[in-house]
Amino acid sequence: GDSVTQMEGPVTLSEEAFLTINCTYTATGYPSLFWYVQYPGEGLQLLLKATKADDKGSNKGFEATYRKETTSFHLEKGSVQVSDSAVYFCALTLYNTNAGKSTFGDGTTLTVKP
Amino acid sequence: DAGVIQSPRHEVTEMGQEVTLRCKPISGHNSLFWYRQTMMRGLELLIYFNNNVPIDDSGMPEDRFSAKMPNASFSTLKIQPSEPRDSAVYFCASRGTGGTEAFFGQGTRLTVV
């Protein structure tokens, strides 16, 4: 079946450090890929997305590129801030098969220290 | 739009009691999802509706759990009888026709004592 594997956390960085959170996927078709972010006490919210191979999603300084050859969608940010501390989820959705069900990774907790 | 609205935000109940969680999706969205989040198991999809019809309920843990969507603007998730292991944060999410991302509510934190 479809699956998403994320880098295990927690990840602790100092402010202004470079961030990478790895995400790889397995899917039976051609999924759309997403990164969601969850701040404490809140629901998940979309951070960025990419719908086809080689697309780059970006938002708030975060980027991720849809790599079909390596089945990856790694999240990066050049300089993290304390306010980026949250849980990050990688997800995929297949719209032509599996009735459009989304599959989420286990989440990676990021803590940024001043 | 107010987004996906869940109620209540917090629920504390005694073991054996019936619990009903409510969700109002974003107007015009035709897909609705119920998720459960715990530290041990992460984010789990419980059930998924499309145009008010349950498409996949394979994630519903057991017969004590049931979900309904009587119309496009309302869904419920019911647990009867509740057990302490049902304690979790339950999220509802909705997605529009042709839309690619899901929009999540703020969740209901359920504690069964």
Side-chain angles (χ1 to χ4, degrees):
Chain A
D2 305 327
S3 66
V4 174
T5 302
Q6 281 184 237
M7 181 171 107
E8 287 190 20
V11 175
T12 302
L13 296 173
S14 298
E15 206 164 23
E16 299 185 2
F18 184 85
L19 168 70
T20 299
I21 302 178
N22 290 338
C23 172
T24 57
Y25 67 90
T26 302
T28 52
Y30 300 99
S32 293
L33 302 175
F34 306 86
W35 277 101
Y36 286 82
V37 59
Q38 183 180 29
Y39 298 104
E42 298 185 9
L44 282 70
Q45 55 187 275
L46 180 70
L47 179 60
L48 53 85
K49 66 183 179 185
T51 58
K52 61 183 187 296
D54 300 325
D55 269 2
K56 177 186 282 188
S58 61
N59 185 26
K60 299 181 181 179
F62 291 89
E63 292 184 340
T65 300
Y66 190 141
R67 300 288 187 198
K68 185 180 172 186
E69 63 277 13
T70 54
T71 62
S72 65
F73 193 55
H74 305 321
L75 182 68
E76 297 183 336
K77 186 174 185 181
S79 176
V80 294
Q81 305 300 311
V82 172
S83 57
D84 294 327
S85 298
V87 183
Y88 292 83
F89 292 88
C90 185
L92 68 83
T93 301
L94 277 161
Y95 294 98
N96 294 326
T97 62
N98 209 16
K101 188 167 88 171
S102 297
T103 301
F104 284 81
D106 290 337
T108 302
T109 300
L110 170 66
T111 301
V112 180
K113 297 190 173 182
Chain B
D1 198 314
V4 176
I5 299 173
Q6 291 187 246
S7 63
R9 288 295 310 276
H10 302 273
E11 176 80 35
V12 180
T13 191
E14 291 185 347
M15 183 173 63
Q17 296 298 304
E18 177 180 296
V19 175
T20 299
L21 311 182
R22 297 173 174 80
C23 175
K24 176 176 167 49
I26 293 173
S27 177
H29 282 191
N30 69 329
S31 296
L32 185 140
F33 309 83
W34 281 101
Y35 290 91
R36 178 172 67 177
Q37 186 177 39
T38 61
M39 289 291 291
M40 291 297 293
R41 302 172 70 95
L43 192 67
E44 304 172 273
L45 177 66
L46 301 178
I47 188 168
Y48 159 36
F49 292 88
N50 197 42
N51 294 321
N52 311 338
V53 176
I55 301 298
D56 183 350
D57 65 355
S58 60
M60 296 286 263
E62 48 198 276
D63 291 345
R64 296 185 298 106
F65 286 70
S66 62
K68 294 182 179 179
M69 192 164 186
N71 57 62
S73 58
F74 184 67
S75 177
T76 59
L77 178 67
K78 185 178 293 186
I79 308 172
Q80 166 62 17
S82 58
E83 297 183 3
R85 61 194 168 115
D86 302 330
S87 298
V89 181
Y90 291 81
F91 288 104
C92 176
S94 70
R95 188 176 69 204
T97 305
T100 58
E101 70 264 29
F103 293 81
F104 282 74
Q106 292 200 300
T108 294
R109 181 174 294 278
L110 173 65
T111 303
V112 183
V113 297

